[in-house]
Amino acid sequence: MRGQMASKKRESSSGVSVVAIDGPVAAGKTVVGRALARRLGLNYLDTGLMYRAITWLALQHGTPIDDEGALGALAEAHPVRPTGQDSDRVLVGEHQVGPELRESRVNRQVSLVARVSAVRRALVRQQRVLAAEGGIVVAGRDIGTVVLPDADLKVFLSASPESRAGRRWREMLAQGQTVDFQQVLRETRARDEIDCHRADSPLVAAEDAFLLDTQDLTADHVVEEILEHIRELTGAGEP
Ligand code: CDP
């Protein structure tokens, strides 16, 4: 696939070196991205966690969320380095953070931080460096359209807001959080609204993306569908 790029970069036996996975809130990007990376023998990078890390840092520093200049300066001064297994933690400044990036105070603010162009410039630059050697599945909102437009494979996951909010609600319950489903649904819709309508890099499927409605599919099923799609594209056997 896109032979020139794949031949220069580390790739899986399927011939795929760089996979972009985009989609709205709780579409299954993380669970599918991790499992796909494992199946293909590639690394995994969750770019959402990088926006969450800058949001968390802004809250720690008391940076006003409407001060675009200060947010941009914060992102420039504090590179975010993924650590931990499966890209589930990051180093930002002197802090190593993981579960705190999924707290509701971060959920409520992250899309406001992510719409700031100066923040995006800093993080997109870092994401391209992290993906430069290939051998990686990268999940986010603008990976196939902006960050890695030459990815070997672009996947766009979608499902209704109700079903995505339901998944997120069940995840939160399983972690022992007491949350109201209607509140999770409201927050899902609010974040989608900002992500889809921001001026810089709005959430949209790349023209050449493989579109997958995950509504009635388990994560395993979604991974199988993507692997099948790769087999069709490459004519390869089991990736
Ligand atoms: O896991 P979930 O779908 O809830 O969100 P996430 O992937 O952790 O991303 C959190 C937020 O970061 C998104 O709602 C976007 O506002 C922003 N984001 C972005 O703008 N661009 C990316 N490539 C990844 C995330």
Side-chain angles (χ1 to χ4, degrees):
M1 324 180 59
R2 305 208 184 169
Q4 240 194 340
M5 187 173 85
S7 63
K8 272 191 271 156
K9 296 184 167 183
R10 194 165 87 73
E11 62 183 53
S12 74
S13 56
S14 67
V16 172
S17 173
V18 177
V19 180
I21 303 186
D22 291 300
V25 173
K29 300 177 298 293
T30 303
V31 63
V32 167
R34 282 194 182 130
L36 187 67
R38 256 195 304 274
R39 289 287 293 272
L40 294 173
L42 302 176
N43 293 322
Y44 174 68
L45 174 64
D46 180 350
T47 63
L49 226 48
M50 299 174 78
Y51 289 92
R52 288 173 179 274
I54 296 302
T55 307
W56 179 84
L57 199 64
L59 292 168
Q60 292 297 110
H61 287 208
T63 309
I65 297 298
D66 57 358
D67 186 341
E68 300 200 354
L71 290 172
L74 196 69
E76 284 293 343
H78 298 87
V80 183
R81 294 184 207 86
T83 70
Q85 261 201 330
D86 279 342
S87 177
D88 61 351
R89 289 173 178 273
V90 299
L91 269 173
V92 58
E94 69 278 23
H95 309 279
Q96 166 144 181
V97 280
E100 46 281 79
L101 301 181
R102 304 213 168 264
E103 286 171 3
S104 53
R105 65 190 186 122
V106 175
N107 284 340
R108 281 196 299 272
Q109 310 279 23
V110 62
S111 290
L112 299 173
V113 173
R115 70 180 179 183
V116 176
S117 289
V119 171
R120 304 200 70 80
R121 267 197 302 280
L123 293 185
V124 167
R125 203 174 53 235
Q126 294 166 34
Q127 289 157 15
R128 288 184 178 142
V129 170
L130 290 166
E133 285 188 8
I136 196 161
V137 174
V138 185
R141 299 287 187 291
D142 57 344
I143 309 305
T145 50
V146 174
V147 181
L148 303 168
D150 291 331
D152 296 314
L153 173 66
K154 300 175 187 179
V155 178
F156 192 90
L157 302 179
S158 64
S160 70
E162 290 76 10
S163 103
R164 290 184 285 116
R167 277 183 204 155
R168 187 51 51 90
W169 178 66
R170 284 189 293 277
E171 269 168 31
M172 293 168 104
L173 287 185
Q175 289 160 4
Q177 301 185 43
T178 34
V179 277
D180 174 38
F181 170 74
Q182 289 302 329
Q183 188 196 330
V184 178
L185 180 57
R186 271 195 304 278
E187 285 182 8
T188 299
R189 288 205 163 110
R191 201 135 62 81
D192 281 352
E193 176 71 20
I194 301 171
D195 292 347
C196 292
H197 295 108
R198 66 187 175 211
D200 188 345
S201 316
L203 171 65
V204 59
E207 268 177 28
D208 52 349
F210 175 50
L211 306 178
L212 206 46
D213 183 341
T214 68
Q215 180 100 3
D216 300 316
L217 302 179
T218 63
D220 285 347
H221 205 144
V222 174
V223 172
E224 289 306 327
E225 293 269 339
I226 297 171
L227 290 172
E228 181 57 33
H229 181 69
I230 292 175
R231 282 190 283 268
E232 279 166 17
L233 285 177
T234 60
E238 169 70 9

